[in-house]
Amino acid sequence: MDVVLPVVAEPIGMELDINPTLESNVATPQGTIAGDSIDTAVDSSSSVADGGLLVFIPTNANIKHGSDTNNLSALGVEDGALTAAEHSSGDACPACVDRGESSKRKVKKESWVGCEGCETWYHWACVSMGNDLALVDKWYCKECLQTNPKLTITYKLPTRKSSRKRAQPIYLSSSSSSALASSSNKWLEIIETKALSKDRFQRKLGSEVTKAWLQTDDTAFREPFVIESPEGLGMQMPGWKNGEEGVSDEEAHVAFDVDDVCRIVGGDTPLEVIDVATQSTSPNWTLSKWAEYYKTPASERDKIRNVISLEVTGTPLADQITPPTLVREIDWFHQHWPANRRGKGQFPKVQLYCLMSVANAWTDMHIDFAGSSVFYHVLKGAKVFYFIRPTRTNLAAYEKWSGSEMQATTWLGDLVDEVIKVELKQGNTMFIPTGWIHAVHTPEDSLVFGGNFLHSYNIATQLRVREVEIATRVPKKFRFPLFQRICWYVAEHYVQLLKTPLNTTSTTTAAASTLNTKDSNQLPISLRILEGLVALSDFLMSEVRLIESGGGHGGTDVVVAGRREAKDMVPPDRVKDPSALAREFRWRVRMAVDGESGDEGGGRSAGKAGKGKGISVKRKRGAAGTGANGKEDAAAVATEGVERSRESSAMSTISPPSHNNTPIFRNYVPRQWDSVTRGEGKVARTSGATTPPDVGEKEDIRRGDLETRTDTVVKMRRIADGKKVERETVTRVMEVWTLGS
């Protein structure tokens, strides 16, 4: 006799182990039934429905009830015990019957799955198409899916334990039971039904990709761009002969492969290998094991796997790789991280990655940590990218989607303005700018080299992406390492640079274009960089306030930990007094931007900015980023309250937020000045003046011609309900010496 147990409406899970001897008690969804009463509980032909499915269980079954699944019960049965005589009874596997086979299969353990629609049970092996039953949430048979197209098979969110990039559970909603639930084929089927924008990104020559281009073209590096042939990039890759710049012909033989990576880096090197089906890390992999897997014919691979996190800096392989010249010229690490602080564990190791992907590998939508930019060279194979522009609205959609249940049911492209498809072939190099959201498909076995880098041309977006990472609780392991520390090194560099005469007077980008652009280091700081430095100065001031708030050693554990981290990230070799440096940095940046230093939260009188000595900027009217039709304007988003005097580029992404009434840290609201008055400025010249001891390179130079420039800013505001008046006078004195011979 069979026992018929009603399955309650709430999701349950059961595991059945057949045992010739029935235990004394049996657990059921409704409670425990005494073993000696099971054979008379109900008749085998009875039907008990309580808002759920009927499970027919033989009397020699030991039933264990669990609650960790969301699908109709997946059953494991030994020796084909869970079978009825005929398909007409509802107990046989319809797939077996259709093939003319018996449901009594000679297997040690048989897993079954029930259709949520018609409540028919199938052997999982008959309908799985190679999927893992443990991932199933709700499953429908082929007939139900064809009858009702609105039905979709859904899957549980996999837990990804380790990867270079932030954990991103893959979107697994399905409209067809014939596709692999979490493979790239499934994604491609979904994408084929979506409207994609054509690739409109620039194709540039390697010789055109220079720092001078970034300095003089405000639209530069706002979007991804592709260099089809690497000549002129100043780049070197493994397998290239000395003096040879790449193999651009996609049919050409590449004299370097995964076996070479294994040989040079070391076969025993531990490796993080991604299981594409779950987007989680598979344990116990080494480079030698991966090389064997990579060489296995595609038809014989047990799973689709991917390697995207092998960083090779410090290995012999790194000696064969040279990033493009532009990367080395603008990368914060290359330019500002001290050379004596580049030992093991002392620096952010993200400069050189080796990516080894087999055909049909897929990496879900993500943003590279801290919004870092990427150079990406396809040494062998091909890649397909799906890009989403990092507008304010798109980033908000990504933040809501990332790490939520929406990832299991929603294609991110449905939440944003557009998705742009870009195809790369062997020999192509692509630059991905700050914050661009992207997914990657590998159509054939591929070998790629690239690297991540932070730079000064999109600082505000880098900081915005970091906020998204914090809001979505990205583990620190997957964030840009030592991010705050590199920001301090950058600030210290620009404080020194802003002291130079080239950057203390008004120098527009247009004026910069008339200078000698062959030496990009001689160019003044562009307005684009200055706007980013405003955001960086506010970020460092928030770090300083966090450090300064620790006088009483109070606060929650989170606050105390944040305070400790902020303090530990200050590099003692360059920054002796973080409070002083942050305030000087902010003052010099704002003087360079609009001739005014502001105070603890901004309060700049932007409307009078043009009267200062710095670069003129103006405020937008109305809400930043909203056009007359109420839709988001890309250029408005890019400036978000700070608009260039000249026309802003439509290709901008996100620039510094407005400092007008914008708090720079939690619970801080800046006080505004009622009036700001600037003096006309005075210039005094003295001939034959005695020079200070620190002026001049020779002992005998003690006199010279002196020009003294004095600028004064007077600020006033009423406080204490108008009963008091604060008045602040800021005087800036610059001396320019013409030394005698």
Side-chain angles (χ1 to χ4, degrees):
M1 177 183 291
D2 290 339
V3 178
V4 184
L5 301 179
V7 180
V8 294
E10 296 180 357
I12 66 169
M14 288 185 177
E15 180 182 341
L16 276 69
D17 295 321
I18 303 307
N19 193 320
T21 303
L22 186 63
E23 294 182 357
S24 59
N25 295 313
V26 176
T28 74
Q30 285 71 33
T32 301
I33 301 176
D36 57 2
S37 63
I38 289 183
D39 59 350
T40 59
V42 289
D43 183 76
S44 61
S45 61
S46 300
S47 177
V48 182
D50 188 17
L53 177 70
L54 297 184
V55 183
F56 291 82
I57 305 172
T59 55
N60 62 340
N62 172 29
I63 308 169
K64 298 179 181 179
H65 172 228
S67 59
D68 60 341
T69 62
N70 283 329
N71 60 311
L72 290 173
S73 305
L75 306 181
V77 182
E78 293 182 3
D79 299 328
L82 185 59
T83 60
E86 299 293 335
H87 171 53
S88 58
S89 69
D91 297 338
C93 171
C96 290
V97 174
D98 292 342
R99 294 194 304 267
E101 300 176 359
S102 172
S103 289
K104 290 189 175 182
R105 297 146 59 96
K106 294 182 178 181
V107 294
K108 184 177 181 180
K109 187 173 183 179
E110 185 70 75
S111 295
W112 291 69
V113 65
C115 175
E116 289 276 352
C118 63
E119 301 183 352
T120 302
W121 286 83
Y122 292 79
H123 290 137
W124 180 243
C126 295
V127 296
S128 68
M129 298 298 293
N131 289 330
D132 186 355
L133 180 56
L135 296 178
V136 177
D137 178 23
K138 292 184 179 181
W139 183 85
Y140 297 92
C141 66
K142 183 178 180 180
E143 288 73 15
C144 288
L145 289 170
Q146 292 175 346
T147 303
N148 186 358
K150 293 183 179 180
L151 297 178
T152 58
I153 299 173
T154 58
Y155 299 83
K156 301 173 188 176
L157 290 173
T159 302
R160 181 171 169 182
K161 299 179 180 178
S162 177
S163 171
R164 176 171 67 93
K165 294 183 175 66
R166 195 243 185 232
Q168 297 290 351
I170 195 167
Y171 164 68
L172 299 177
S173 179
S174 171
S175 59
S176 171
S177 63
S178 63
L180 293 180
S182 51
S183 70
S184 58
N185 290 335
K186 167 55 59 180
W187 277 98
L188 294 177
E189 288 184 9
I190 295 172
I191 292 172
E192 285 176 358
T193 66
K194 306 297 181 180
L196 300 177
S197 297
K198 293 183 179 180
D199 177 5
R200 59 177 180 271
F201 298 140
Q202 286 184 313
R203 265 52 178 180
K204 300 187 70 67
L205 298 176
S207 58
E208 298 173 336
V209 183
T210 64
K211 185 177 178 182
W213 167 57
L214 286 181
Q215 288 280 73
T216 57
D217 184 351
D218 191 54
T219 67
F221 208 15
R222 300 284 191 183
E223 293 186 334
F225 61 90
V226 177
I227 300 92
E228 295 182 339
S229 182
E231 288 84 2
L233 277 176
M235 181 173 66
Q236 184 66 33
M237 286 289 146
W240 293 2
K241 297 178 181 179
N242 292 334
E244 178 183 306
E245 292 193 85
V247 181
S248 57
D249 184 358
E250 63 177 332
E251 300 298 331
H253 175 68
V254 179
F256 195 87
D257 209 337
V258 173
D259 282 334
D260 298 296
V261 177
C262 179
R263 173 178 52 82
I264 297 172
V265 178
D268 294 334
T269 303
L271 197 63
E272 290 189 350
V273 176
I274 303 299
D275 181 348
V276 172
T278 61
Q279 294 286 284
S280 61
T281 300
S282 301
N284 305 320
W285 279 79
T286 62
L287 254 178
S288 59
K289 182 179 177 180
W290 172 258
E292 289 297 321
Y293 165 82
Y294 190 90
K295 291 185 295 184
T296 303
S299 60
E300 299 178 15
R301 291 168 181 158
D302 59 335
K303 292 183 178 181
I304 303 299
R305 294 185 170 92
N306 198 8
V307 170
I308 58 174
S309 57
L310 177 59
E311 217 286 345
V312 299
T313 301
T315 71
L317 182 57
D319 298 334
Q320 302 183 32
I321 306 172
T322 302
T325 301
L326 176 64
V327 174
R328 288 177 276 130
E329 287 185 340
I330 68 174
D331 178 13
W332 278 0
F333 172 76
H334 282 96
Q335 294 297 316
H336 308 310
W337 198 276
N340 63 346
R341 298 280 176 173
R342 300 189 181 187
K344 185 176 181 180
Q346 292 183 313
F347 67 96
K349 190 179 177 184
V350 298
Q351 291 76 44
L352 299 175
Y353 281 101
C354 174
L355 295 83
M356 299 171 283
S357 308
V358 299
N360 288 324
W362 171 269
T363 303
D364 199 11
M365 287 290 183
H366 65 279
I367 305 176
D368 283 272
F369 38 40
S372 54
S373 298
V374 176
F375 81 91
Y376 193 94
H377 178 75
V378 182
L379 187 72
K380 181 179 181 180
K383 291 283 184 175
V384 180
F385 280 76
Y386 298 89
F387 282 109
I388 297 173
R389 184 186 304 275
T391 63
R392 183 175 54 190
T393 300
N394 289 348
L395 283 176
Y398 174 80
E399 181 176 346
K400 182 178 181 180
W401 173 87
S402 178
S404 72
E405 293 184 357
M406 294 179 65
Q407 285 184 300
T409 58
T410 305
W411 163 242
L412 180 59
D414 292 336
L415 306 179
V416 300
D417 52 3
E418 65 174 346
V419 178
I420 306 168
K421 180 180 178 180
V422 179
E423 298 182 9
L424 299 181
K425 63 182 182 180
Q426 179 177 303
N428 289 172
T429 304
M430 183 165 63
F431 283 72
I432 304 174
T434 304
W436 278 72
I437 308 164
H438 57 282
V440 188
H441 172 240
T442 306
E444 60 185 85
D445 292 359
S446 300
L447 179 60
V448 172
F449 288 94
N452 293 71
F453 58 99
L454 299 170
H455 56 84
S456 299
Y457 293 88
N458 275 317
I459 298 175
T461 310
Q462 292 170 176
L463 294 170
R464 170 68 179 116
V465 172
R466 182 176 181 271
E467 292 175 358
V468 171
E469 292 174 343
I470 294 173
T472 55
R473 300 181 180 180
V474 176
K476 290 183 179 180
K477 177 181 179 180
F478 305 124
R479 301 183 197 173
F480 195 99
L482 303 174
F483 178 81
Q484 298 101 309
R485 180 162 298 179
I486 200 169
C487 287
W488 282 111
Y489 282 132
V490 172
E492 191 272 339
H493 165 78
Y494 277 107
V495 164
Q496 302 304 319
L497 193 60
L498 286 166
K499 294 178 181 179
T500 63
L502 189 63
N503 292 299
T504 53
T505 58
S506 178
T507 308
T508 65
T509 305
S513 64
T514 64
L515 299 176
N516 178 17
T517 58
K518 292 184 178 180
D519 185 357
S520 59
N521 292 323
Q522 296 302 314
L523 291 174
I525 301 175
S526 66
L527 175 59
R528 178 175 171 181
I529 292 179
L530 285 172
E531 289 177 348
L533 294 180
V534 173
L536 180 60
S537 67
D538 284 348
F539 169 70
L540 292 180
M541 280 302 304
S542 68
E543 291 288 293
V544 163
R545 295 185 191 288
L546 186 57
I547 296 172
E548 293 175 341
S549 68
H553 302 285
T556 64
D557 292 342
V558 175
V559 172
V560 172
R563 183 186 303 142
R564 185 185 306 113
E565 179 184 355
K567 186 175 181 180
D568 292 343
M569 284 295 103
V570 178
D573 56 317
R574 292 287 183 88
V575 182
K576 305 300 182 184
D577 187 343
S579 298
L581 177 64
R583 287 178 168 84
E584 181 183 3
F585 178 48
R586 182 188 58 187
W587 178 80
R588 291 191 180 280
V589 168
R590 292 182 177 175
M591 288 298 293
V593 171
D594 63 7
E596 184 185 348
S597 64
D599 70 348
E600 292 298 307
R604 302 199 310 256
S605 180
K608 300 179 182 180
K611 297 180 181 180
K613 290 292 183 180
I615 298 172
S616 175
V617 297
K618 62 181 180 181
R619 298 288 181 197
K620 289 180 63 62
R621 294 183 179 180
T626 303
N629 59 0
K631 295 183 178 180
E632 183 177 39
D633 177 70
V637 172
T639 54
E640 199 167 329
V642 180
E643 187 181 51
R644 295 174 177 82
S645 297
R646 59 189 181 281
E647 180 181 359
S648 297
S649 167
M651 301 171 72
S652 301
T653 54
I654 297 178
S655 292
S658 169
H659 296 277
N660 188 19
N661 298 315
T662 302
I664 62 173
F665 70 99
R666 188 183 299 274
N667 298 326
Y668 174 76
V669 178
R671 291 186 298 169
Q672 305 297 310
W673 293 102
D674 296 333
S675 65
V676 179
T677 306
R678 295 175 177 78
E680 295 297 329
K682 299 180 180 179
V683 179
R685 295 179 176 83
T686 305
S687 300
T690 302
T691 62
D694 56 344
V695 175
E697 299 179 355
K698 300 179 181 179
E699 291 293 333
D700 56 344
I701 299 179
R702 287 290 178 264
R703 304 187 69 82
D705 296 334
L706 170 64
E707 180 179 278
T708 304
R709 304 172 186 173
T710 305
D711 296 301
T712 303
V713 178
V714 179
K715 306 178 185 181
M716 295 186 63
R717 63 185 169 202
R718 293 183 178 273
I719 60 175
D721 297 329
K723 296 179 181 179
K724 294 183 179 180
V725 176
E726 285 186 345
R727 185 174 186 272
E728 177 183 290
T729 301
V730 178
T731 302
R732 179 188 182 199
V733 178
M734 176 183 293
E735 296 179 343
V736 179
W737 291 87
T738 303
L739 302 178
S741 57

